[in-house]
Amino acid sequence: MKKKWFVALLLLTTIISAEAHFFTHNQPFQFASACLSLLFWAALLGKATESVAHYSGERLGGLLNATFGNAAELIIAIFLVKAGLFDMVKASITGSIIGNLLLVLGLSVFAGGLKFKIQQFNPLLAGHNASLMMLAVIALFIPAVFMHGLTRSEISMVSVVIAIVLIIGYFLWLYFSLVTHKEELGDKVDGMPDLDQHEEPDWSKGVSLLFLLIATVFVAIESEWLVHSVESVAKALGWSELFIGAFLIAIIGNAAEHSAAVFMAMKNRIGVAVEIAVGSSLQIALFVAPILVFVSLLFGNPMNIIFSNYEIAAIAVASLIASSISRDGSTNWYEGILLVLVYIILETVFFVV
Amino acid sequence: MKKKWFVALLLLTTIISAEAHFFTHNQPFQFASACLSLLFWAALLGKATESVAHYSGERLGGLLNATFGNAAELIIAIFLVKAGLFDMVKASITGSIIGNLLLVLGLSVFAGGLKFKIQQFNPLLAGHNASLMMLAVIALFIPAVFMHGLTRSEISMVSVVIAIVLIIGYFLWLYFSLVTHKEELGDKVDGMPDLDQHEEPDWSKGVSLLFLLIATVFVAIESEWLVHSVESVAKALGWSELFIGAFLIAIIGNAAEHSAAVFMAMKNRIGVAVEIAVGSSLQIALFVAPILVFVSLLFGNPMNIIFSNYEIAAIAVASLIASSISRDGSTNWYEGILLVLVYIILETVFFVV
Amino acid sequence: MKKKWFVALLLLTTIISAEAHFFTHNQPFQFASACLSLLFWAALLGKATESVAHYSGERLGGLLNATFGNAAELIIAIFLVKAGLFDMVKASITGSIIGNLLLVLGLSVFAGGLKFKIQQFNPLLAGHNASLMMLAVIALFIPAVFMHGLTRSEISMVSVVIAIVLIIGYFLWLYFSLVTHKEELGDKVDGMPDLDQHEEPDWSKGVSLLFLLIATVFVAIESEWLVHSVESVAKALGWSELFIGAFLIAIIGNAAEHSAAVFMAMKNRIGVAVEIAVGSSLQIALFVAPILVFVSLLFGNPMNIIFSNYEIAAIAVASLIASSISRDGSTNWYEGILLVLVYIILETVFFVV
């Protein structure tokens, strides 16, 4: 998108959503305008994070990208946690994970596959991604199986242990992939140099930091407005919290990454696209979800880590098919279709439930 | 089998089953004779389909084989749907899938493995088959998990959406494997040329079409007779609908393919055997099952796509172990044994339930 | 460990546990001393089995190792079966399987990975191990899904059929791996010769047999003492039978193998370590568990093969992640961490339940 248009739309939607929030009582309108505005602020936040990461040197930058790459989703979720909308938090986590693994990855693989017969990437990375995703699925699945008949404090204790295990797993993964085995996991399959080292950021260091700050503040503000109106909108439309969280909110937080991944795939950099899509899922499952458990403790209203059977089934199914397709380090258009079809099945059912 | 014997047995069993149907009230006898006769008509129908496909040119022929390869099973199932025996329909779908993935594939791999130490086939095909099978399992698993507490019309709506998704997935797969990526998926591992292009069919074009027509009509007739007597036989023998559908009816519709696959494996063409066994499962899961949902709508008595937990567990388990064994594109006798052992476990439990 | 110390501790703990059993009524003390003593006798039994296997020639030796390698666990479990503590038996089987697949394998891979950046082993073996483990999971999962509402005698019948299938599967696997496909499955990846052919046992044939006999007798005696006090200890400590079986008893029976596997991994023989850890799991699932079903029939108090949902979930999850990590025949420190993290999650939940 042209920069001018982006800035214009960013400002316009922000002003509209502010007016809607302060001067009207029309909650669907408040909700819709906050959603639109969030789309743009989340995109800016993502770009600013990348830019700051660029100036931070390789390792610190990798760490920044890996922990704040989903900052917008984290901020929205924190406001949902604050409002006690735990079901919607979990639905949005679920939606982000399946959206990344099925819709983003699927569209990328499909779009790339239309232009290139077979696209290849590092199978070692695919294998590790699959194993990590499995850790996440296990960590969410086990408590749901075992928790029937436990007391609240026992559930809370197990949730904290699992959250700690997931965060340890995530940071050791960063250490593994950014430090000890950086080279083995690189996207060297097609002989092209890494893009990241070539692209110069648009902004200076100072401007990047300023944008990071501004975008974070506005994502927070718009998130609060969105959360403020979400319940009454859900009621008015007759949509379930599950669907709003797993579809609408998940799409808003991830739209920028979605387009970036598809764009990369069409330039035959499927490895980068996979990294964006799967990496983002992992970040949400292994970092954002456990952080939210701790955040809920700070708010004095502990959220447990027990997802519903629906959500676990959806996450498990998404990660199984994504692993099955990516495990050999090669993709084609049909594999993209398969992922999108599974996404359609899951969202159809989420809509009906 | 010698042709003469085949024709003699075909005629004999047909006459006996007709007599049983029209002149006796002995329902077990009617059932048994219809079963026997169906075995031969299904084999003839399969052979006629292949022969017509041969004359239709490569692509149309491939399409014909892929959509009418399981015509006999489809016809039997349509009569079961018409009679409202939905549980038996689903059981026979389940039985066909696990029979192909475990018994046919297992016996082929075992028989081939006794003659050849290690047999190899195209691992790319194996990977795609596994992913497609996973789509089928997901499509059957998701509604069963999510459907508790939904209204009948919601269930019906979801069933139709899923049926459409599956059929789209199946036809795009045909487009992928017959048109855009035909070469990548070929069975070239062992350097032999494709058999299909060499075998001349026994019949001329006109004779093939005639046989196709006749066989279809008789499969339909015998199916109606079989369905007519199946319920009272189930009661008389004390067998569950699950077992009759998943064992007896599934075996009848697939017997011809079973022997073809084993035969191919013993000629070291394990790739063709895998293609027959796994391809047949995929066809039933992605094409026959959804078609039956639509057929039931035509009959005004909609069948949903919700399989029982037993059936989903059996299908999931069968496709998991079959993928695990075939994923590396190489087989040996022990892997065949493993598949057969899982089949024995599943059928034992189906029998007892 | 130095031999002198080993002998001294063996004798000391045995004497203490005997005194505790005969002259005190302090059951926690009886339990703790029997546990300690068992650790050493199990290690001696393992070493004696290996030594006898060495003198038995290649095939018979392989068979001996494969069937009596977990003799200590088998003996403990038999005494638990005799006491009718079926829940604890199943918990200890579960604990042995997940302990081997997650803790032992995880620590080995981690320890090896700290010294060597990437360790490799025969991926064909890894694939077969994964398929076999899947057979075991299926065999335990299927009855648990299907058994609701069956009579006791039907459950008993199915349990026996499944036990027979598993044992057939296990012995055919031994025939496959020791006779027909011995070479294909060898640990030849890193070009080193097989260790087994080089190590001379410490004892002569006669001494080995004597030690085998003595160790078996003492493992049996200590097992009886342990089982005698286990129930009252469980009550006194407030620990569940699940946790005692799945953690304590499983660790005692496997401690010797644990240290051997880690030791091998640190010498860059990761293939041997995987073989010990995964092989031991397979032995327990495919050989020890079904044997116990038959043993229970001999005692006239039939134990069924229906594991609880918790246990099946734990075994399934452990074998999925272990397969996912080992399937490519290459390991690194992070994969070890992943396995250990999953172990921590599972044992935390076992402790709480």
Side-chain angles (χ1 to χ4, degrees):
Chain A
M1 203 184 308
K2 294 276 171 56
K3 272 181 220 168
K4 255 193 223 161
W5 279 103
F6 183 86
V7 173
L9 284 168
L10 176 80
L11 295 176
L12 187 70
T13 54
T14 308
I15 292 166
I16 293 176
S17 75
E19 285 197 41
H21 184 73
F22 291 116
F23 302 115
T24 78
H25 290 283
N26 185 341
Q27 296 207 314
F29 180 49
Q30 290 177 354
F31 181 75
S33 58
C35 284
L36 269 180
S37 175
L38 257 178
L39 272 181
F40 293 99
W41 284 111
L44 186 68
L45 180 54
K47 206 165 159 51
T49 308
E50 261 179 50
S51 184
V52 170
H54 178 89
Y55 290 109
S56 312
E58 213 172 346
R59 285 195 189 167
L60 187 57
L63 186 68
L64 265 174
N65 256 329
T67 48
F68 289 99
N70 281 303
E73 273 132 312
L74 183 60
I75 295 170
I76 302 175
I78 287 175
F79 280 95
L80 288 170
V81 167
K82 198 178 149 205
L85 297 169
F86 295 158
D87 284 351
M88 209 178 277
V89 174
K90 290 175 188 170
S92 76
I93 290 174
T94 307
S96 283
I97 294 174
I98 69 171
N100 276 298
L101 286 181
L102 299 176
L103 188 62
V104 183
L105 188 58
L107 289 179
S108 304
V109 167
F110 178 66
L114 287 186
K115 287 187 69 173
F116 304 93
K117 198 161 188 182
I118 285 182
Q119 296 189 296
Q120 296 193 301
F121 59 98
N122 189 336
L124 183 61
L125 184 63
H128 273 87
N129 280 339
S131 297
L132 269 163
M133 206 56 229
M134 205 174 281
L135 171 66
V137 171
I138 289 171
L140 299 180
F141 169 71
I142 290 299
V145 176
F146 285 76
M147 286 301 149
H148 304 294
L150 290 192
T151 65
R152 252 191 102 161
S153 71
E154 284 172 329
I155 291 180
S156 183
M157 193 271 270
V158 172
S159 295
V160 170
V161 170
I162 287 180
I164 292 172
V165 165
L166 288 180
I167 286 189
I168 291 175
Y170 187 65
F171 279 101
L172 287 176
W173 164 248
L174 294 183
Y175 183 67
F176 176 77
S177 60
L178 296 175
V179 183
T180 70
H181 286 62
K182 188 172 168 37
E183 271 136 55
E184 283 77 8
L185 294 170
D187 181 27
K188 299 165 305 185
V189 167
D190 43 16
M192 293 191 211
D194 256 358
L195 264 195
D196 311 57
Q197 291 155 8
H198 290 254
E199 274 187 0
E200 277 303 303
D202 294 342
W203 309 318
S204 72
K205 197 170 170 179
V207 175
S208 305
L209 274 169
L210 186 69
F211 277 163
L212 183 64
L213 191 72
I214 295 176
T216 306
V217 170
F218 272 93
V219 165
I221 292 172
E222 296 286 353
S223 296
E224 191 169 21
W225 294 350
L226 179 145
V227 170
H228 180 77
S229 54
V230 70
E231 273 185 301
S232 66
V233 169
K235 239 177 248 164
L237 289 170
W239 291 358
S240 65
E241 286 197 15
L242 193 62
F243 184 68
I244 293 198
F247 185 72
L248 263 190
I249 294 182
I251 291 274
I252 293 166
N254 287 303
E257 285 141 288
H258 291 206
S259 49
V262 175
F263 188 67
M264 281 298 174
M266 291 175 70
K267 293 204 288 185
N268 206 14
R269 301 196 61 77
I270 192 74
V272 180
V274 170
E275 193 48 33
I276 293 174
V278 181
S280 186
S281 295
L282 289 174
Q283 203 175 108
I284 288 162
L286 302 178
F287 182 71
V288 173
I291 286 285
L292 292 172
V293 170
F294 295 126
V295 166
S296 76
L297 289 178
L298 290 183
F299 288 142
N301 184 10
M303 182 178 81
N304 62 48
I305 208 160
I306 303 182
F307 282 64
S308 74
N309 289 350
Y310 300 164
E311 293 166 335
I312 291 168
I315 295 174
V317 146
S319 73
L320 271 179
I321 188 118
S323 307
S324 173
I325 278 172
S326 65
R327 195 176 273 280
D328 61 354
S330 119
T331 61
N332 54 55
W333 68 264
Y334 186 70
E335 296 185 318
I337 291 282
L338 269 187
L339 292 170
V340 174
L341 288 178
V342 173
Y343 185 74
I344 292 171
I345 292 178
L346 289 178
E347 290 291 352
T348 305
V349 179
F350 273 139
F351 183 71
V352 174
V353 167
Chain B
M1 207 184 306
K2 291 279 170 55
K3 272 180 217 167
K4 254 193 225 162
W5 280 101
F6 182 87
V7 174
L9 284 168
L10 177 79
L11 294 177
L12 187 70
T13 54
T14 308
I15 293 166
I16 293 176
S17 76
E19 285 198 42
H21 183 73
F22 291 115
F23 302 114
T24 79
H25 290 283
N26 185 342
Q27 297 210 314
F29 180 47
Q30 291 177 355
F31 181 75
S33 59
C35 283
L36 268 181
S37 176
L38 256 177
L39 271 181
F40 294 100
W41 284 112
L44 187 67
L45 180 54
K47 206 166 159 53
T49 308
E50 260 178 51
S51 186
V52 171
H54 179 89
Y55 290 109
S56 311
E58 210 171 348
R59 285 193 190 170
L60 188 58
L63 186 67
L64 265 175
N65 257 329
T67 49
F68 289 99
N70 281 304
E73 273 132 312
L74 183 59
I75 295 170
I76 302 175
I78 287 174
F79 280 95
L80 287 170
V81 168
K82 199 178 148 205
L85 297 169
F86 295 158
D87 284 352
M88 209 179 276
V89 174
K90 291 174 189 170
S92 76
I93 291 174
T94 307
S96 282
I97 294 174
I98 69 171
N100 276 298
L101 285 181
L102 299 177
L103 187 63
V104 182
L105 188 57
L107 289 178
S108 304
V109 166
F110 178 66
L114 287 186
K115 287 188 68 172
F116 305 93
K117 196 160 188 182
I118 285 182
Q119 296 190 297
Q120 296 193 300
F121 59 99
N122 188 337
L124 184 60
L125 184 63
H128 274 86
N129 280 340
S131 297
L132 270 163
M133 206 57 227
M134 205 174 282
L135 171 68
V137 171
I138 289 172
L140 300 180
F141 168 70
I142 290 298
V145 177
F146 285 76
M147 286 301 149
H148 304 293
L150 291 191
T151 65
R152 251 190 103 162
S153 71
E154 284 173 328
I155 290 178
S156 182
M157 194 272 271
V158 172
S159 295
V160 170
V161 170
I162 287 179
I164 292 172
V165 165
L166 288 179
I167 287 189
I168 290 175
Y170 187 65
F171 279 101
L172 287 176
W173 164 248
L174 294 183
Y175 183 67
F176 176 79
S177 60
L178 296 174
V179 183
T180 71
H181 286 61
K182 190 172 167 35
E183 272 136 56
E184 282 78 7
L185 294 170
D187 182 26
K188 299 166 305 188
V189 167
D190 43 14
M192 292 191 212
D194 256 358
L195 263 196
D196 311 57
Q197 291 154 10
H198 291 252
E199 274 189 1
E200 277 303 305
D202 293 343
W203 309 318
S204 72
K205 196 170 170 178
V207 175
S208 304
L209 274 169
L210 186 69
F211 278 163
L212 184 63
L213 191 73
I214 295 176
T216 306
V217 170
F218 272 93
V219 166
I221 292 172
E222 296 287 354
S223 295
E224 192 169 22
W225 293 350
L226 178 144
V227 169
H228 180 78
S229 54
V230 70
E231 273 185 298
S232 67
V233 169
K235 240 177 245 164
L237 288 171
W239 291 359
S240 64
E241 287 198 14
L242 193 64
F243 184 69
I244 292 198
F247 185 74
L248 264 190
I249 295 183
I251 291 274
I252 293 166
N254 287 303
E257 287 140 289
H258 291 206
S259 49
V262 175
F263 189 65
M264 280 297 173
M266 291 176 70
K267 295 203 288 186
N268 205 14
R269 300 196 61 77
I270 191 74
V272 180
V274 169
E275 193 48 33
I276 294 174
V278 180
S280 187
S281 295
L282 288 174
Q283 204 175 107
I284 287 162
L286 302 178
F287 182 71
V288 172
I291 286 284
L292 292 172
V293 170
F294 296 126
V295 165
S296 76
L297 290 178
L298 292 182
F299 287 142
N301 184 9
M303 180 179 82
N304 62 47
I305 206 160
I306 303 182
F307 282 64
S308 75
N309 288 350
Y310 300 164
E311 293 165 336
I312 292 169
I315 295 175
V317 145
S319 72
L320 271 179
I321 188 118
S323 306
S324 173
I325 278 171
S326 64
R327 196 175 272 279
D328 62 354
S330 121
T331 60
N332 55 55
W333 68 266
Y334 186 71
E335 297 185 316
I337 291 282
L338 268 187
L339 292 170
V340 174
L341 288 178
V342 174
Y343 185 74
I344 292 171
I345 292 178
L346 289 178
E347 290 292 352
T348 304
V349 178
F350 274 138
F351 183 71
V352 174
V353 167
Chain C
M1 205 183 305
K2 293 276 170 60
K3 270 179 220 169
K4 256 193 224 160
W5 279 102
F6 183 88
V7 174
L9 285 167
L10 177 80
L11 295 178
L12 187 69
T13 55
T14 309
I15 293 166
I16 292 176
S17 75
E19 285 198 41
H21 184 73
F22 290 116
F23 302 114
T24 79
H25 291 283
N26 185 343
Q27 296 209 314
F29 180 48
Q30 292 178 353
F31 181 75
S33 59
C35 285
L36 269 180
S37 175
L38 257 177
L39 272 179
F40 293 99
W41 284 111
L44 186 68
L45 180 55
K47 205 164 161 54
T49 308
E50 261 178 51
S51 185
V52 170
H54 179 90
Y55 290 109
S56 312
E58 212 172 349
R59 285 193 189 168
L60 187 58
L63 187 68
L64 264 175
N65 257 330
T67 49
F68 288 100
N70 281 303
E73 273 132 312
L74 184 59
I75 295 171
I76 302 176
I78 287 175
F79 279 95
L80 288 169
V81 167
K82 199 178 149 206
L85 298 169
F86 295 158
D87 285 350
M88 209 178 277
V89 174
K90 291 175 188 171
S92 76
I93 290 175
T94 308
S96 282
I97 294 174
I98 68 170
N100 276 299
L101 285 181
L102 299 176
L103 188 62
V104 183
L105 188 56
L107 289 179
S108 304
V109 167
F110 177 66
L114 288 186
K115 287 187 67 172
F116 304 94
K117 196 160 188 183
I118 286 181
Q119 296 190 296
Q120 296 193 301
F121 59 98
N122 189 336
L124 183 61
L125 183 64
H128 273 86
N129 280 339
S131 297
L132 270 163
M133 206 56 227
M134 205 175 283
L135 171 67
V137 171
I138 290 171
L140 299 181
F141 169 71
I142 290 298
V145 176
F146 285 76
M147 285 302 149
H148 304 293
L150 291 192
T151 65
R152 253 191 100 161
S153 71
E154 284 172 330
I155 290 178
S156 182
M157 193 270 270
V158 172
S159 294
V160 169
V161 170
I162 287 180
I164 292 172
V165 165
L166 288 180
I167 286 188
I168 291 176
Y170 188 65
F171 279 101
L172 287 175
W173 164 249
L174 294 183
Y175 183 66
F176 176 78
S177 60
L178 295 175
V179 183
T180 71
H181 287 61
K182 188 172 167 36
E183 271 137 56
E184 283 77 7
L185 293 171
D187 181 26
K188 299 166 303 185
V189 167
D190 44 15
M192 293 192 213
D194 256 358
L195 265 196
D196 311 60
Q197 291 153 10
H198 290 254
E199 276 188 0
E200 278 302 306
D202 294 341
W203 309 317
S204 73
K205 198 170 172 178
V207 174
S208 305
L209 274 169
L210 186 69
F211 278 163
L212 184 63
L213 191 73
I214 295 175
T216 305
V217 170
F218 272 94
V219 165
I221 292 171
E222 296 286 353
S223 296
E224 192 169 20
W225 294 350
L226 179 145
V227 170
H228 179 77
S229 54
V230 71
E231 273 185 300
S232 66
V233 168
K235 238 177 246 163
L237 288 172
W239 292 359
S240 64
E241 287 197 14
L242 193 62
F243 184 69
I244 292 197
F247 185 73
L248 262 191
I249 294 182
I251 290 275
I252 293 166
N254 287 303
E257 286 141 290
H258 290 205
S259 49
V262 174
F263 188 66
M264 280 298 175
M266 291 176 70
K267 294 204 287 185
N268 206 14
R269 301 197 60 78
I270 192 73
V272 180
V274 170
E275 194 48 32
I276 294 174
V278 181
S280 185
S281 295
L282 289 173
Q283 203 176 108
I284 287 162
L286 303 178
F287 182 70
V288 173
I291 287 284
L292 291 172
V293 170
F294 295 125
V295 166
S296 76
L297 290 177
L298 291 183
F299 288 142
N301 184 11
M303 181 178 81
N304 62 47
I305 207 161
I306 303 182
F307 282 64
S308 74
N309 288 350
Y310 301 163
E311 292 165 336
I312 291 169
I315 295 175
V317 146
S319 73
L320 272 179
I321 189 116
S323 306
S324 173
I325 278 172
S326 64
R327 196 175 271 281
D328 62 354
S330 119
T331 59
N332 53 55
W333 68 266
Y334 186 70
E335 297 185 317
I337 290 282
L338 270 186
L339 293 170
V340 174
L341 288 178
V342 174
Y343 185 74
I344 292 171
I345 292 177
L346 289 177
E347 291 291 354
T348 304
V349 180
F350 273 138
F351 183 71
V352 174
V353 168

